[in-house]
């Protein structure tokens, strides 16, 4: 949906959609940090959120995606 919205609005930058088996919405964190699949009593909203995936699937996604995030940032700020 985000990719389609970006295309429809003429977003000029390259997009990469990473999709991981059993991965949820927390796959852009730093590897080695606790893998969260849900948050109860969110500190700002007080609500409950499910980020999906499994702990193992999210851990694999973190391990693969983190070097990609670092490379993206490195390339984005390179002179």
């Amino acid at each position: 949906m985000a990719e389609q919205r970006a295309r429809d609005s003429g977003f000029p930058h390259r997009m990469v959609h990473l999709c991981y088996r059993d991965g949820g919405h927390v796959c852009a964190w730093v590897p080695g940090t606790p893998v969260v699949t849900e948050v109860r009593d969110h500190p700002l909203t007080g609500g409950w959120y499910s980020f999906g995936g499994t702990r193992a699937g999210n851990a694999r996604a973190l391990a693969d995606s983190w070097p990609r995030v670092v490379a993206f940032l490195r390339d984005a700020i390179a002179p």
Side-chain angles (χ1 to χ4, degrees):
M1 289 176 8
E3 287 178 298
Q4 186 63 49
R5 185 178 305 140
R7 278 192 296 276
D8 291 348
S9 67
F11 186 70
H13 305 285
R14 182 176 147 251
M15 293 179 287
V16 176
H17 177 205
L18 301 176
C19 183
Y20 297 96
R21 182 181 177 141
D22 297 326
H25 293 276
V26 293
C27 60
W29 297 75
V30 179
T33 56
V35 176
V36 177
T37 57
E38 62 185 41
V39 172
R40 296 178 190 274
D41 300 323
H42 188 277
L44 298 177
T45 66
W48 179 85
Y49 297 90
S50 175
F51 297 110
T54 64
R55 289 184 188 272
N58 284 325
R60 285 190 302 273
L62 290 175
D64 182 76
S65 66
W66 182 247
R68 296 169 189 255
V69 169
V70 171
F72 167 80
L73 294 173
R74 181 193 63 234
D75 294 346
I77 63 173

